[in-house]
RNA sequence: GGAGAGGUGGCCGAGUCCGGUUGAAGGCGCUCCCCUGCUAAGGGAGUAAGGGUCACAAGCCCUUCGUGGGUUCAAAUCCCACCCUCUCCGCCA
């Protein structure tokens, strides 16, 4: 309990609800025990009454019937109290964030995140032709049409055109293909139930960040993590099947509430974008290695595109609510001279698995244990597209297509 | 969207009209034992999950027959709402 309290504090969250939850839990258990005892008595009386009826001794059952009726009323009252406490407890717990991992760096916010590595970055390597923001020259070239996207859907929507659209698609296929050796490709729905959003921890804490279709009570997913994590919801997996690796390309939808006015130029922050997500269900023992694997997979994509990037270790104060440990990959945008987050590779310990009720049966063992879930973006299109067009821009203003992407662009080598 | 049928244990499948040892017959599958003795067959036993109490033991107790409510002393069985599946019709990328 002390560990939990300390962990909550390290995130900068209020420990008050925790104490209240503990209190609620104790009271609820007492009520539950009382309810079960009452039910037991009612059951026994009912069996007696049934027996008397069958033997035709109805008269002798009257007293038991009356007593059972009263016990039944009491049961109902006790059960109602227990349910009420249960609801309050549930509501409280659903809003409590996950415990950061032991080795997660402690810090107050994003400014405290240690940068672990910087790769492929030589500041003076970039020429003036690369120091142009992508929204400038790609708009001129007809590859990015933010103006008309805004006409269609409003601010912070993007539209790719011509080779720009092709490039976006190429990135997706590239990301899928380079992970196809181990990861099963899934194409899940992008509109999901409230339960599905709750399992990953996106609800109830972050309801304002998601698009909600009231009429059908469906939510637009902010990431494929949401449907993929619920894929095995309420299932018991076999240990031999773990780790189970999945990948999915989907559109992702984010309201970006509270972010209005920040990073709004070009592709820096958009409401809808394409992403390839990689995800794994693992045993607690497999989780650390799996986390490393996902990070390698995710950074491999930007590395193969010869983009500069760095790995950031997210500290306790900046950690997502469901995560126990997260590494961000930030790709360098020479045109804006900024590091753009393009992947968050997270280990959720059993936090999501508890919400989604995903368990596994240990080989040879009895009972079930919660799995661990991990995931990260294998490639998020807009920011990689932005960094790529800036980095690969040539002095004459044309854009070279990185060799790994050419097979996906009908052999095209240069966008003019 | 309209009409009809249906949702029972790992699977198949009784029971639901007439509520009462039905956590649930029977079968299949699986596990163990015996017989036989060789890739057949037979005999016997076992075979859900979650939760509470507790030593994550045994035992005891509770919950679960699509979900949620209701009626009743008692519900898989009666009533209401919803969800899902299947068939037919309509519509449609």
């Amino acid at each position: 309990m002390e560990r939990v309290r300390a962990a909550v504090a390290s995130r900068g969250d209020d420990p008050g609800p925790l104490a209240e939850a503990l209190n609620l839990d104790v009271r609820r258990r007492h009520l539950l025990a009382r309810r079960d005892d009452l039910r037991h008595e009612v059951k026994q009386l009912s069996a007696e009454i049934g027996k008397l009826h069958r033997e035709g001794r109805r008269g002798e059952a009257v007293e038991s019937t009356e007593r059972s009726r009263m016990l039944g009323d009491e049961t109902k009252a006790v059960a109602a109290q227990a349910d009420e406490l249960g609801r309050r407890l549930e509501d409280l717990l659903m809003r409590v964030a996950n415990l950061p991992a032991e080795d997660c760096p402690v810090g107050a916010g994003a400014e405290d995140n240690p940068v672990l590595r910087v790769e492929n970055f030589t500041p003076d390597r970039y020429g003036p032709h690369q120091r142009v923001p992508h929204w400038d020259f790609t708009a001129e070239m007809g590859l990015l049409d933010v103006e008309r996207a805004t006409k269609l859907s409003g601010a912070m929507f993007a539209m790719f055109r011509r080779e720009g659209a092709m490039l976006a698609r190429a990135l997706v296929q590239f990301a899928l293909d380079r992970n196809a050796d181990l990861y099963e490709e899934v194409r899940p729905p992008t509109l999901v139930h409230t339960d599905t959003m709750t399992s990953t921890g996106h609800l109830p804490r972050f309801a304002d960040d998601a698009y909600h279709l009231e009429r059908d009570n469906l939510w637009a997913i902010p990431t494929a993590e949401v449907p993929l994590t619920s894929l095995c919801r309420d299932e018991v997996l076999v240990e031999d099947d773990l780790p189970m690796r999945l990948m999915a390309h989907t559109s992702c939808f984010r309201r970006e509430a509270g972010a209005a006015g920040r990073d709004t130029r070009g592709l820096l922050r958009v409401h809808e974008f394409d992403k390839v997500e990689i995800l794994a269900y693992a045993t607690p023992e497999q989780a650390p290695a799996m986390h490393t694997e996902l990070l390698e997979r995710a950074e491999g994509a930007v590395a193969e595109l010869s983009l500069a990037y760095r790995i950031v270790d997210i500290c306790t104060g900046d950690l997502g609510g469901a995560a126990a440990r997260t590494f961000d990959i930030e790709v360098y945008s020479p045109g804006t001279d900024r590091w753009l987050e393009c992947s968050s590779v997270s280990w959720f310990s059993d936090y999501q698995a508890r919400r989604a009720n995903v368990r596994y049966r240990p080989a040879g063992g009895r009972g079930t244990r919660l799995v661990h879930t991990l995931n990260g973006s294998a490639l998020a299109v807009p920011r990689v597209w932005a960094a790529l067009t800036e980095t690969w821009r040539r002095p004459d203003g044309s854009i070279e297509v990185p060799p790994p992407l050419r097979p996906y662009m009908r052999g095209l080598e240069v966008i003019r």
Side-chain angles (χ1 to χ4, degrees):
Chain A
M1 191 58 211
E2 265 324 299
R3 232 198 100 221
V4 174
R5 209 186 305 280
V8 168
S10 77
R11 279 177 174 275
D13 288 353
D14 175 15
L18 217 57
E20 196 187 336
L22 204 62
N23 176 29
L24 282 174
D25 184 52
V26 171
R27 285 161 59 199
R28 177 166 165 273
R29 276 168 206 269
H30 282 133
L31 288 171
L32 247 33
R34 172 80 184 133
R35 182 200 66 184
D36 287 356
D37 287 347
L38 286 167
R39 277 181 177 164
H40 178 57
E41 266 195 79
V42 170
K43 267 187 146 180
Q44 292 204 314
L45 285 172
S46 295
E48 270 177 42
I49 295 166
K51 198 173 160 206
L52 289 174
H53 276 223
R54 260 174 289 123
E55 291 170 357
R57 296 151 64 193
R58 263 157 211 285
E60 297 171 43
V62 174
E63 195 180 321
S64 295
T65 303
E66 185 53 34
R67 184 167 150 65
S68 183
R69 193 202 311 275
M70 287 170 61
L71 286 173
D73 289 344
E74 192 180 347
T75 306
K76 248 179 220 170
V78 172
Q81 283 180 54
D83 288 350
E84 171 57 23
L85 291 188
R87 264 193 300 279
R88 279 163 59 192
L89 180 63
E90 175 90 345
D91 187 60
L92 226 48
L93 289 180
M94 287 312 247
R95 287 167 192 279
V96 171
N98 195 4
L99 274 50
E102 303 267 350
D103 49 359
C104 184
V106 175
E111 63 284 355
D112 296 326
N113 294 334
V115 174
L116 295 184
R117 286 186 280 127
V118 179
E119 304 284 351
N120 201 23
F121 180 56
T122 319
D124 42 8
R125 189 189 75 184
Y126 298 97
H129 58 283
Q130 290 168 298
R131 293 296 187 181
V132 186
H134 63 274
W135 56 80
D136 265 357
F137 63 89
T138 58
E140 266 170 44
M141 295 170 77
L143 307 178
L144 179 66
D145 190 346
V146 174
E147 204 175 310
R148 288 197 181 80
T150 305
K151 175 172 74 180
L152 302 185
S153 305
M156 291 169 76
F157 280 90
M159 175 156 54
F160 298 109
R161 304 185 65 173
R162 296 178 34 201
E163 291 92 339
M166 213 182 355
L167 178 61
R169 178 169 50 74
L171 285 169
V172 167
Q173 283 218 341
F174 165 68
L176 287 170
D177 282 2
R178 65 184 301 285
N179 290 304
D181 56 330
L182 284 179
Y183 290 75
E184 176 196 335
E185 184 170 349
V186 180
R187 174 54 247 218
T190 36
L191 298 178
V192 300
H193 284 136
T194 298
D195 288 350
T196 307
M197 287 284 279
T198 305
S199 297
T200 41
H202 288 91
L203 291 178
R205 276 165 73 108
F206 304 107
D208 286 346
D209 291 321
Y211 287 101
H212 186 208
L213 284 75
E214 298 232 347
R215 181 179 168 135
D216 298 292
N217 196 19
L218 288 169
W219 300 79
I221 59 168
T223 158
E225 165 190 343
V226 169
L228 289 185
T229 301
S230 277
L231 196 115
C232 294
R233 189 166 77 217
D234 295 322
E235 293 186 23
V236 179
L237 308 175
V238 181
E239 180 167 8
D240 290 347
D241 293 340
L242 299 176
M244 183 187 290
R245 298 173 171 91
L246 304 171
M247 64 176 174
H249 160 227
T250 65
S251 294
C252 302
F253 303 90
R254 303 189 178 179
R255 288 188 68 230
E256 301 291 355
R262 260 173 55 202
D263 306 335
T264 51
R265 301 300 307 272
L267 294 171
L268 294 182
R269 190 177 293 276
V270 287
H271 285 311
E272 175 183 349
F273 61 95
D274 278 22
K275 180 162 67 64
V276 174
E277 182 80 358
I278 45 179
L279 175 145
Y281 296 92
T283 67
E285 293 73 25
Q286 294 165 340
M290 202 60 231
H291 199 187
T292 305
E293 177 186 316
L294 289 174
L295 180 62
E296 282 170 0
R297 293 272 169 166
E299 72 173 285
V302 279
E304 281 181 33
L305 297 173
S306 305
L307 302 177
Y309 65 94
R310 62 182 191 182
I311 309 294
V312 179
D313 194 350
I314 303 302
C315 74
T316 52
D318 193 32
L319 204 58
R325 190 89 192 272
T326 297
F327 300 111
D328 272 7
I329 300 174
E330 296 181 343
V331 68
Y332 182 68
S333 153
T336 63
D337 190 28
R338 294 177 49 177
W339 297 93
L340 308 177
E341 178 191 332
C342 68
S343 180
S344 258
V345 183
S346 297
W347 168 48
F348 300 93
S349 59
D350 59 13
Y351 186 86
Q352 293 180 330
R354 181 173 286 113
R355 290 166 163 250
N357 189 28
V358 185
R359 292 160 297 152
Y360 74 98
R361 203 176 299 285
R366 285 182 305 148
T368 56
R369 298 170 72 194
L370 290 166
V371 302
H372 278 202
T373 56
L374 309 99
N375 67 53
S377 322
L379 196 146
V381 169
R383 290 177 185 167
V384 172
W385 193 99
L388 188 155
T389 51
E390 292 168 1
T391 303
W392 286 79
R393 188 162 191 247
R394 306 196 299 190
D396 67 357
S398 63
I399 301 166
E400 185 178 349
V401 177
L405 296 181
R406 289 174 193 169
Y408 303 112
M409 296 193 61
R410 305 183 194 113
L412 188 70
E413 293 178 11
V414 181
I415 303 172
R416 297 182 190 281

